[in-house]
Amino acid sequence: MSGHTLPQALSTDDVDTAASYLREYYGERFRLPDAVPPRYSGAYFDGFDPSGQLSSSPNIITADDLLSLSLLSTPINGSSAVQLLFDHRSTIQNYLETIPTDRTLADYSEPLSSENFAAWRLENFLTSTIPGVGWTRASKLIARKRPLLYPIYDSVVSQVLGTVKGGHLNFIRESMNRPEISNRIDVLRQETQLSDIVPDLRIFDVVAWMEGRARKLPSENLEAVSDE
């Protein structure tokens, strides 16, 4: 993990700062104790299911999936939506059918690549085939379909971790395999009373993103909903 760094808020057993990030981010949605405003639209990404199709469509890209990316400030344009929902529907379904729904990223002990990780191959297909879908949107779509397994690639988070694309995935995989990180996430969930809808991988992501935001790292996308 040379050159890569954990979020400072997850680097020690003192998780008070990380807990405050989660309360700020998720507090309004889940009515967490000691929650503080503002509202973050990204808090609604986890388990987003306005049409009630989430559990019945694990291998199909739906309109809800595309709308969910707007919650993370990366909306899908019309042309890309048509290709995802119609033109490449069966190809994407074939990829997703090879990716387990119940495995976590921490289940993988060996380094991942496009050769041994089907989710990575799906990301490569999306970024090379769908105009307007780059690494960030592709990772969010896959994270939407496999929330236990695939981390979001975001410019702020990558700056906090000191990662680039392939190294980003494998550094987070290594981090989630560390017992002390798993234990700290368990403590965070208990202390904040955060819903099980939010997977451990997403807790890691949100803590890193909120830390980067607190450090005022540059980003083109801010998820806080305007008061206007």
Side-chain angles (χ1 to χ4, degrees):
M1 295 192 290
S2 175
H4 301 156
T5 58
L6 288 169
Q8 293 178 5
L10 289 175
S11 296
T12 72
D13 289 335
D14 182 355
V15 296
D16 287 351
T17 298
S20 71
Y21 290 154
L22 293 175
R23 290 189 184 101
E24 180 178 347
Y25 192 86
Y26 286 109
E28 191 278 339
R29 178 185 178 187
F30 293 115
R31 301 294 191 270
L32 300 181
D34 303 318
V36 294
R39 171 189 290 184
Y40 287 82
S41 62
Y44 291 78
F45 176 80
D46 306 279
F48 181 69
D49 194 19
S51 69
Q53 297 179 341
L54 183 60
S55 62
S56 62
S57 56
N59 300 322
I60 297 173
I61 298 293
T62 67
D64 284 359
D65 296 330
L66 303 191
L67 182 58
S68 74
L69 267 64
S70 296
L71 300 174
L72 298 177
S73 301
T74 48
I76 295 289
N77 66 39
S79 176
S80 299
V82 168
Q83 294 196 42
L84 288 163
L85 294 173
F86 301 106
D87 297 350
H88 300 289
R89 178 185 178 92
S90 61
T91 300
I92 295 170
Q93 181 176 352
N94 289 340
Y95 275 110
L96 286 169
E97 286 174 348
T98 68
I99 305 171
T101 59
D102 57 351
R103 293 198 71 178
T104 72
L105 188 58
D107 289 335
Y108 293 82
S109 58
E110 298 299 321
L112 300 173
S113 69
S114 59
E115 284 74 31
N116 66 2
F117 196 46
W120 197 327
R121 292 194 292 276
L122 172 56
E123 183 181 72
N124 286 343
F125 171 79
L126 294 173
T127 57
S128 64
T129 307
I130 312 297
V133 174
W135 285 343
T136 296
R137 285 183 174 87
S139 69
K140 289 175 180 178
L141 271 175
I142 301 171
R144 161 77 176 168
K145 305 309 292 185
R146 298 293 185 270
L148 303 178
L149 180 66
Y150 213 72
I152 290 172
Y153 182 75
D154 172 89
S155 62
V156 171
V157 174
S158 67
Q159 289 176 78
V160 170
L161 303 181
T163 56
V164 293
K165 193 61 196 77
H168 184 81
L169 173 66
N170 276 300
F171 175 66
I172 295 178
R173 177 192 59 78
E174 293 171 17
S175 299
M176 299 302 288
N177 269 290
R178 294 172 59 174
E180 67 271 26
I181 298 301
S182 177
N183 291 339
R184 288 166 194 161
I185 289 175
D186 287 344
V187 170
L188 279 171
R189 190 181 295 280
Q190 294 169 10
E191 288 196 1
T192 60
Q193 300 179 34
L194 188 59
S195 169
D196 288 341
I197 291 173
V198 182
D200 289 357
L201 191 57
R202 180 77 167 128
I203 290 176
F204 184 98
D205 170 69
V206 168
V207 169
W209 187 84
M210 290 293 286
E211 183 170 300
R213 188 172 181 274
R215 290 164 52 188
K216 303 187 184 304
L217 296 179
S219 172
E220 295 180 0
N221 301 310
L222 292 177
E223 296 179 286
V225 174
S226 172
D227 291 333
E228 299 178 352

